[in-house]
Amino acid sequence: MYQQITLVGNLGNDPKMQYAPSGDPVTRFSVATSRSWTGQDGQRQEKTVWFQVSVWQRQAETCSQYLTKGQRVLVVGELDEPYMWTDDSGNARASLQVRARNVRFLSSRDEGNVLSEGQAAYANGQHAPSPESNGGEGIPF
């Protein structure tokens, strides 16, 4: 079996490169994907989903060198196990982890910091909206 996920979104933070115990470089960053729609009440609504991305080998070095917060990227990779934790308020949270096979830069460094309102709020420490708060709309598929 084979799985693949394709994301197009904006970096929520500057990439951080480290080295695995094997000596391989690994770069990690968050990517926000958003969609917006007009609700039945005529109000514009937005939903942002965050992914934690890890990039390995030579591509990790390139991402660390050239990417910055706010830039738009296309990430193709595989979903890893979700990371589960409890926030300061005692709420259960989960983060979707993606191991990238390919990262494409869709904006230049000069086009950085183009986060949407929802992405910017979350990147500045506010909690992302829960799935229950999207007007009763379930998973879109």
Side-chain angles (χ1 to χ4, degrees), residues 10-25:
N10 297 87
L11 267 68
N13 59 342
D14 288 334
K16 293 181 178 74
M17 189 172 81
Q18 298 175 319
Y19 291 89
S22 64
D24 293 331

Side-chain angles (χ1 to χ4, degrees), residues 57-106:
Q57 305 294 335
R58 176 71 181 125
Q59 193 166 211
E61 296 169 341
T62 304
C63 287
S64 176
Q65 184 176 1
Y66 294 106
L67 288 176
T68 58
K69 178 179 177 177
Q71 285 184 273
R72 186 169 302 271
V73 293
L74 180 141
V75 176
V76 177
E78 300 171 1
L79 279 174
D80 281 339
E81 294 292 320
Y83 174 69
M84 310 292 277
W85 79 95
T86 304
D87 67 13
D88 295 338
S89 302
N91 298 316
R93 299 281 183 186
S95 176
L96 298 170
Q97 308 287 316
V98 175
R99 183 178 175 132
R101 282 193 306 275
N102 191 355
V103 178
R104 299 284 172 122
F105 304 175
L106 300 180

Side-chain angles (χ1 to χ4, degrees), residues 13 16 28 111 119 123 128:
N13 59 342
K16 293 181 178 74
R28 291 183 169 86
E111 295 177 84
Q119 293 168 345

